[in-house]
Every structure is written in structure tokens, then in C-alpha cells.
Amino acid sequence: MSAPSLPSPAPSAPAPGAAWRVPPALLAGIVVAGMLVSGWAPHDRVTWLLETFWVVIGLPLVVLARRRFPLTDLLCCLLAVHALVLAVGGHYTYAQVPLGDWIRDTFGLDRNPYDRIGHLMQGFVPAVLVREVLSRTSPLRGSRWLAPLTVSACLAFSALFELFEWAAAVIGGHGADAFLATQGDVWDTQWDMFCALIGATVSVLVLGRLHDRRMAALEAAPR
């Protein structure tokens, strides 16, 4: 009489949230398409180049580094969204984006707020990028210093960008007005950095745990 067969072990459950993986090629294609549309007869070609410079530099870097340092799907999605925000701002100039005009008219604002949206994104998305690089390349992962250092790095980048705008104003004079998009606000520089600070802080607080799970899923995935 043959021995009874033992039940086969149940398959192990996948790690929470480990299933979704957005194809990087799809995101890159969306960004390239957005840049092509943005670059078709923009309001001001020089302004378009200045506003989309980060996409032109950043996209090839991400593609070239994908083998040695692949990014989480969360970060890739956020970078793609940020690139499209820059592409829209570059095409119309930030002070004349139709979405911003609609928000201004709907809520009775005194200026087109798309520039503020852009600077919120300037803190929100780079915060995830900085957090990922620090978490994966330094001993800061799980440290209480990770969050404040991430926010500080984003605020420093925002200040550097404002210096870049100042240099553009000195060199270009009134020709750089569309790039600056101050819309007559003497406190525009301070508002820009404050928006970046808010964006980075919200990003760290809201996306921190999700980001940790996506990094764990990336490290567990076969290569």
C-alpha cells in the first residue's frame, strides 16, 4: 500500500504592492511625445529651451543609467509627470498656460498660478529622487535624518534655480521676462522657494512608506 501523498505547499504570497511595474519605455515614449508637441511652435523658443533644459538632460541620463541604477516605478512615473509639467510651461510660458488662466478666472486669483504649480512640483518630485538616491547609496536608509536632509536638498536646488533665473535676467534683460514669469510679484523668488519647500515636505510625508515599498520591490525583482 503506497504512502499517502503530502499536500503541496501553498505558493508564497507576493510582497504587498510588488506587482505593479510601469514599463519605463512607455513613460519615456510619453515624455518624448510631450516634448515634440511642446517644441512645435512654442510661444518663445528661448524660453522653451530654458524651461525644458532639465528634461533634455535628465531623460538621457535616466535611460543610460537604467542598467546600473534602475529607478523605482514610482519615481519614474513622477519624473514623467514633472517632465510634462515643464513641457507645458515651456510651450506657453508659465504666465500664459491656459490651465492657469482657467484656475485664475475660476477662483478669482490675481495671477496665473501655473508657475506656483511648477515650483510645487520642483519640490515634490525631486524629493522622491533625492530620497531614493540617499536610501540606496548611503547609510541613511531608515535614519531619522533622511527626511530633513531630503527636504534640505530640494530647498537648496530651488535656491540654485532662482540664482539661475537671476543670471538669465542679468544676461537677457527684458528678454528673460517670459522665463522669469514673475507677473509683477516682487516676492516671486521667495514664493517659488516656499512652494518647493511645501512640495518636498508633503512628498516626504505622504509618499515615504509607499516609496519604501517600491524600493523593496525593486531590490527583490530579478534582473
Side-chain angles (χ1 to χ4, degrees):
M1 186 174 179
S2 59
S5 59
L6 297 175
S8 57
S12 58
W20 65 287
R21 178 69 181 170
V22 181
L26 173 62
L27 295 174
I30 292 173
V31 171
V32 170
M35 286 290 291
L36 290 175
V37 174
S38 171
W40 184 268
H43 181 271
D44 181 81
R45 178 62 64 181
V46 174
T47 300
W48 181 84
L49 290 172
L50 292 173
E51 297 292 3
T52 61
F53 169 80
W54 308 105
V55 184
V56 174
I57 297 298
L59 180 59
L61 288 177
V62 172
V63 172
L64 291 174
R66 72 188 187 282
R67 298 290 184 186
R68 297 183 59 185
F69 196 83
L71 303 178
T72 60
D73 39 19
L74 172 65
L75 178 55
C76 287
C77 289
L78 289 174
L79 288 173
V81 172
H82 195 188
L84 295 178
V85 170
L86 293 173
V88 171
H91 180 79
Y92 292 103
T93 75
Y94 277 81
Q96 302 182 60
V97 173
L99 174 62
D101 287 340
W102 178 84
I103 295 174
R104 179 198 60 204
D105 297 339
T106 301
F107 296 96
L109 305 179
D110 58 358
R111 56 171 284 156
N112 185 313
Y114 193 82
D115 180 52
R116 304 287 191 238
I117 296 173
H119 283 277
L120 283 169
M121 292 293 290
Q122 189 186 73
F124 191 87
V125 177
V128 180
L129 174 61
V130 171
R131 190 176 187 275
E132 184 155 323
V133 172
L134 291 178
S135 294
R136 295 170 58 188
T137 62
S138 76
L140 287 171
R141 189 165 188 171
S143 168
R144 66 180 62 185
W145 286 102
L146 179 60
L149 287 176
T150 295
V151 173
S152 296
C154 294
L155 187 56
F157 173 76
S158 178
L160 179 63
F161 186 81
E162 295 304 320
L163 291 175
F164 177 61
E165 287 190 340
W166 169 68
V170 172
I171 296 171
H174 290 295
D177 288 349
F179 174 57
L180 298 177
T182 59
Q183 301 181 64
D185 185 358
V186 296
W187 302 108
D188 185 71
T189 297
Q190 289 77 8
W191 270 111
D192 289 349
M193 290 189 291
F194 182 59
C195 286
L197 175 62
I198 293 175
T201 303
V202 171
S203 179
V204 168
L205 294 176
V206 173
L207 297 181
R209 291 186 179 180
L210 174 61
H211 190 208
D212 287 338
R213 292 198 296 270
R214 299 321 304 160
M215 284 192 289
L218 176 65
E219 293 166 356
R223 298 189 183 179

